[in-house]
């Protein structure tokens, strides 16, 4: 493992320049002795790739790593590494770390916010308010209902804790099932997914996007949900078949859904999902909260120091598994 002082840190968000600048500003405070270089455009990053030792990235461009001769660490800015992996051209010595563990608080609040908004029909209330319309409607409970969480990691655990406070029964899937506080049943594999979906009144997807999970929630899986169920995707658009979701919202099989992530981001203005009945669309914001950049900076500072000292890094990603 190569060690040695790292003088420059490179940042590339690849999606939202303001976020790249925000993390760069934090890094300048957290490691004032190092130079922080931001590349907003892909061409800038490509032009610099041979000199980069440490890169903070969210959506790095594909197929540019063979020239990354000095690269030692890619610290991903989010928990997901699907924008980077698989990367067959990435030199073997490059370590990849992600930001897992930083999202539990804000994403669990967001998951509950979406479940409550759907159950309590907040979009309908706002529509009626805009139309000055006074008309009553029924509102299902969360209490006593079953919440199925696909992908019970750190975020799923935080969602389970909050759902339990609402009196929900919580079940979910995990690659290797282990007992979890506030989760009544943890299962794995395709049979586990089927069981969870069949029993759920509310389903929340929190899986990483990997070759294994891509497209894994299609028409068949959505049909396993009980008629009138609510579906929330906070993971990645590529996991869910969007056409199948649209059809099940149009048919009323699903009473409602919320999605923060889409196959195409930013979602083009002509995408039919914008107008899907009972779908709440949010622009990939569930993981953002004001303190996130500070916590991400602290993780990056720690990992750069560990790298210099030749110590094991935090949040190392398994390249084969893709998370
Ligand atoms: C993430 C995200 O991967 O915010 O963390 O999408």
């Amino acid at each position: 493992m190569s060690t040695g002082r790292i003088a420059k840190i490179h940042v590339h968000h690849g999606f939202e320049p303001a976020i790249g600048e925000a993390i760069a500003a934090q890094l300048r405070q957290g490691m004032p002795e190092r130079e922080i270089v931001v590349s907003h455009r892909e061409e800038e990053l490509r032009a610099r790739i041979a000199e980069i030792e440490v890169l903070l990235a969210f959506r790095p461009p594909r197929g540019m790593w063979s020239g990354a001769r000095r690269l030692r660490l890619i610290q991903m800015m989010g928990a997901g590494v699907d924008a980077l992996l698989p990367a067959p051209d990435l030199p073997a010595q490059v370590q990849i770390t992600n930001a897992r563990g930083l999202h539990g608080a804000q994403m669990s609040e967001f998951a509950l916010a979406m479940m409550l908004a759907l159950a309590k029909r907040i979009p309908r209330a706002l529509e009626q308010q805009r139309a000055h319309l006074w008309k009553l409607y029924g509102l299902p409970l969360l209490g006593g209902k079953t919440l199925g969480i696909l992908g019970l990691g750190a975020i799923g655990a935080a969602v389970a804790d909050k759902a339990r406070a609402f009196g929900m029964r919580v079940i979910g899937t995990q690659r290797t099932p282990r007992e979890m506080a506030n989760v009544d049943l943890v299962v794995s594999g395709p049979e586990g997914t089927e069981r969870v979906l069949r029993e759920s009144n509310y389903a929340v997807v929190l899986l990483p996007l990997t070759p294994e999970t891509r497209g894994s929630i299609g028409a068949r899986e959505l049909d396993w949900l009980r008629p009138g169920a609510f579906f929330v995707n906070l993971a990645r658009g590529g996991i869910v078949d969007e056409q199948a979701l649209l059809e099940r919202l149009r048919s009323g099989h699903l009473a409602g859904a919320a999605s923060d992530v889409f196959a195409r981001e930013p979602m083009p203005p002509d995408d039919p999902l914008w107008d899907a009945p009972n779908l709440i669309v949010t622009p990939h914001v569930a993981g953002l909260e004001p303190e996130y950049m500070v916590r991400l900076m602290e993780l990056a500072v720690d990992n750069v120091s560990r790298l210099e000292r030749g110590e094991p890094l935090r949040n190392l990603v398994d390249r084969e598994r893709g998370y």
Side-chain angles (χ1 to χ4, degrees):
M1 195 186 298
S2 72
T3 54
R5 184 168 154 70
I6 293 153
K8 263 192 214 176
I9 310 291
H10 288 256
V11 174
H12 174 75
H13 192 268
F15 185 45
E16 179 54 65
I19 299 185
E21 287 301 337
I23 184 61
Q26 284 299 332
L27 290 172
R28 288 189 185 106
Q29 283 183 26
M31 15 187 168
E33 68 293 358
R34 300 175 215 265
E35 190 185 343
I36 310 298
V37 181
V38 186
S39 302
H40 287 307
R41 288 179 301 111
E42 179 175 332
E43 310 81 75
E44 288 173 275
L45 184 69
R46 285 185 187 275
R48 290 175 171 143
I49 194 68
E51 65 170 91
I52 298 180
E53 283 184 280
V54 171
L55 175 67
L56 257 80
F58 183 65
R59 295 223 173 131
R62 291 201 183 264
M64 65 162 187
W65 305 112
S66 56
R69 289 186 292 280
R70 302 186 63 206
L71 190 59
R72 292 158 65 184
L73 167 63
I74 302 177
Q75 168 68 61
M76 295 297 282
M77 293 188 204
V81 293
D82 48 287
L84 172 65
L85 296 178
D89 56 335
L90 189 66
Q93 83 279 359
V94 179
Q95 302 192 70
I96 303 168
T97 51
N98 68 4
R100 64 178 176 268
L102 303 191
H103 298 78
Q106 65 270 35
M107 292 207 36
S108 59
E109 285 187 10
F110 198 87
L112 265 290
M114 292 301 110
M115 287 158 58
L116 285 165
L118 291 166
K120 305 305 170 190
R121 306 181 78 174
I122 302 300
R124 175 170 176 163
L126 295 175
E127 258 172 47
Q128 289 197 188
Q129 182 178 349
R130 274 191 293 271
H132 298 194
L133 176 66
W134 187 278
K135 193 165 178 228
L136 306 196
Y137 43 80
L139 302 173
L141 286 177
L142 268 62
K145 303 285 169 46
T146 296
L147 164 64
I149 300 175
L150 298 184
L152 271 170
I155 300 170
V159 175
D161 294 347
K162 294 189 167 77
R164 179 50 56 86
F166 279 85
M168 300 188 84
R169 169 176 179 253
V170 182
I171 60 177
T173 63
Q174 225 174 34
R175 177 182 277 269
T176 312
R178 64 187 160 80
E179 276 195 21
M180 291 177 79
N182 295 324
V183 182
D184 298 284
L185 174 75
V186 185
V187 289
S188 67
E191 316 76 45
T193 300
E194 178 169 354
R195 175 161 183 201
V196 166
L197 290 174
R198 284 195 188 281
E199 292 185 20
S200 295
N201 305 98
Y202 296 78
V204 176
V205 182
L206 292 169
L207 296 161
L209 176 60
T210 65
E212 204 180 316
T213 63
R214 184 175 288 282
S216 61
I217 310 293
R220 181 183 62 156
E221 288 73 20
L222 292 171
D223 284 342
W224 285 339
L225 283 164
R226 297 165 191 246
F230 296 102
F231 178 79
V232 178
N233 183 9
L234 304 186
R236 284 292 184 266
I239 295 172
V240 176
D241 176 341
E242 293 182 343
Q243 182 58 33
L245 177 63
L246 186 61
E247 283 162 13
R248 274 137 198 91
L249 285 165
R250 285 186 176 148
S251 72
H253 173 67
L254 294 178
S259 191
D260 188 49
V261 287
F262 298 88
R264 296 181 297 168
E265 292 184 13
M267 190 157 78
D270 62 351
D271 195 300
L273 284 174
W274 286 110
D275 299 311
N278 301 316
L279 176 66
I280 300 178
V281 171
T282 51
H284 204 143
V285 289
L288 292 178
E289 54 89 26
E291 291 303 303
Y292 184 73
M293 292 301 160
V294 177
R295 290 184 289 131
L296 178 59
M297 175 274 284
E298 286 165 355
L299 173 67
V301 170
D302 189 22
N303 267 342
V304 169
S305 312
R306 285 165 180 257
L307 186 68
E308 286 181 334
R309 296 194 299 263
E311 289 173 8
L313 303 184
R314 277 166 62 194
N315 286 4
L316 209 52
V317 167
D318 180 328
R319 279 202 205 190
E320 291 306 311
R321 281 190 176 179
Y323 63 91

